[in-house]
Amino acid sequence: MKILLAYAVTASFSLAASINSSSTFLNNKGYVIDDCGTFTDQVAMALDLTKEPLNAAINVAKQGVSDSHGFQAFFKSNAAIGSVTTMLKNIQTLKPKWGLKPNRFKLSQPEFICAKSNTFRQYQAPGYDPHTICVKTGFFAFYVRGYNWIFLCEKFFKLKISPIGPPTKVCPHVKDNTFELRGSVLADYQKYALIHEMAHFYLGRSSLSGNTHPEEAYRLNECVNLTAKYSLRNPMNWQYFVASKCELSLVSHFIVHFCLYRLLFRMS
């Protein structure tokens, strides 16, 4: 199946073939990208591109409700400042955690795995086939609770890596602590999808999901209407909050554009 992906430039290639080769990449920061083939560099780049909006979000969070960029909308009060800044720093630094399978007796960072038709043979501990979950649910990615595994679905690679273009067109905006209803599509980029799954990772068993009450909220109105307690436990709140900090400088836009061009040139 040929899938056309548009980033800063456009390229056409077979996604299935690109991730079919087996490869393990151990980043010098300690995290692992597994079985992503020629898409390994793209995943690494998406992870690197989370740093700038996360840093902006951390600075905004320190200001609490006095900031006008959505802290109050998503986290309600200054009582959440400590929890929010700690979570964002954990995601930014990929802080290791104890007690996670498959090895509970060592510190584990998130492991990013491309879900393929044969993934179940190696990652069968959860008792289900990750590739089947991807196909049946339409997820971009998903975290396996209790493990350090984040599976990236084929749909993940249909997303653009990062916003490219004028901030007024590609960034979600908050005015007077109210998120402007321009649609969640503005948060649907690879780097924000990774932040969403890493929020699941660090929230662990306290995270809202499809099996909790209340269930995990995805739509904007549902997210901002959660109570203070559940706002902190809803991964989409973290994704939206960080996405609202995507206003990049012209220099940063140029750097991202150039890096994506070089990446696609290597993959073509």
Side-chain angles (χ1 to χ4, degrees):
M1 177 174 61
K2 295 286 183 181
I3 298 174
L4 189 66
L5 297 178
Y7 300 115
V9 294
T10 303
S12 179
F13 47 90
S14 171
L15 178 61
S18 295
I19 65 174
N20 191 46
S21 60
S22 178
S23 61
T24 299
F25 171 73
L26 178 62
N27 186 273
N28 58 10
K29 298 180 179 66
Y31 65 79
V32 172
I33 300 171
D34 199 20
D35 273 359
C36 290
T38 58
F39 275 79
T40 299
D41 285 348
Q42 185 182 131
V43 177
M45 176 179 285
L47 285 165
D48 285 342
L49 289 174
T50 65
K51 306 307 179 187
E52 185 172 359
L54 279 166
N55 190 57
I58 290 168
N59 291 332
V60 165
K62 292 176 182 178
Q63 301 174 43
V65 298
S66 64
D67 172 76
S68 61
H69 290 84
F71 186 93
Q72 185 173 8
F74 289 108
F75 302 115
K76 312 310 177 194
S77 75
N78 285 339
I81 291 176
S83 297
V84 172
T85 55
T86 297
M87 167 67 88
L88 294 174
K89 287 177 181 178
N90 287 345
I91 295 173
Q92 186 185 49
T93 61
L94 292 167
K95 183 178 179 180
K97 291 179 64 177
W98 284 105
L100 294 176
K101 300 176 184 176
N103 191 339
R104 292 179 174 177
F105 303 105
K106 73 171 187 177
L107 285 167
S108 301
Q109 288 183 299
E111 182 173 350
F112 303 91
I113 307 155
C114 286
K116 301 180 292 189
S117 58
N118 63 347
T119 300
F120 181 68
R121 299 173 189 172
Q122 183 175 355
Y123 298 96
Q124 54 184 297
Y128 52 77
D129 180 0
H131 183 259
T132 299
I133 296 294
C134 288
V135 172
K136 288 186 175 181
T137 62
F139 288 161
F140 295 126
F142 66 95
Y143 167 64
V144 181
R145 185 175 295 189
Y147 288 75
N148 70 323
W149 297 341
I150 292 174
F151 287 102
L152 306 179
C153 301
E154 186 168 327
K155 189 176 177 181
F156 174 85
F157 295 98
K158 295 181 183 180
L159 295 172
K160 293 179 181 179
I161 297 179
S162 184
I164 298 292
T168 54
K169 292 185 177 181
V170 301
C171 296
H173 287 275
V174 177
K175 183 178 181 180
D176 298 327
N177 269 311
T178 301
F179 213 107
E180 293 182 358
L181 298 176
R182 299 175 60 199
S184 64
V185 66
L186 294 180
D188 285 344
Y189 293 91
Q190 287 182 14
K191 68 178 184 181
Y192 299 137
L194 290 172
I195 288 170
H196 180 103
E197 299 309 326
M198 286 189 280
H200 273 294
F201 176 87
Y202 288 106
L203 288 168
R205 298 190 181 279
S206 70
S207 175
L208 296 186
S209 70
N211 299 317
T212 59
H213 182 76
E215 290 187 357
E216 183 175 359
Y218 292 95
R219 294 184 179 181
L220 183 56
N221 282 335
E222 296 172 348
C223 292
V224 298
N225 286 330
L226 289 168
T227 64
K229 174 183 177 180
Y230 292 117
S231 294
L232 291 168
R233 294 170 57 182
N234 191 58
M236 201 69 199
N237 282 47
W238 299 96
Q239 181 173 346
Y240 277 133
F241 182 66
V242 176
S244 69
K245 314 300 174 293
C246 86
E247 294 89 347
L248 302 173
S249 66
L250 291 177
V251 174
S252 295
H253 274 300
F254 173 79
I255 292 173
V256 172
H257 186 108
F258 179 73
C259 291
L260 293 175
Y261 179 85
R262 290 193 64 185
L263 173 63
L264 286 174
F265 179 79
R266 289 178 58 189
M267 295 167 62
S268 62

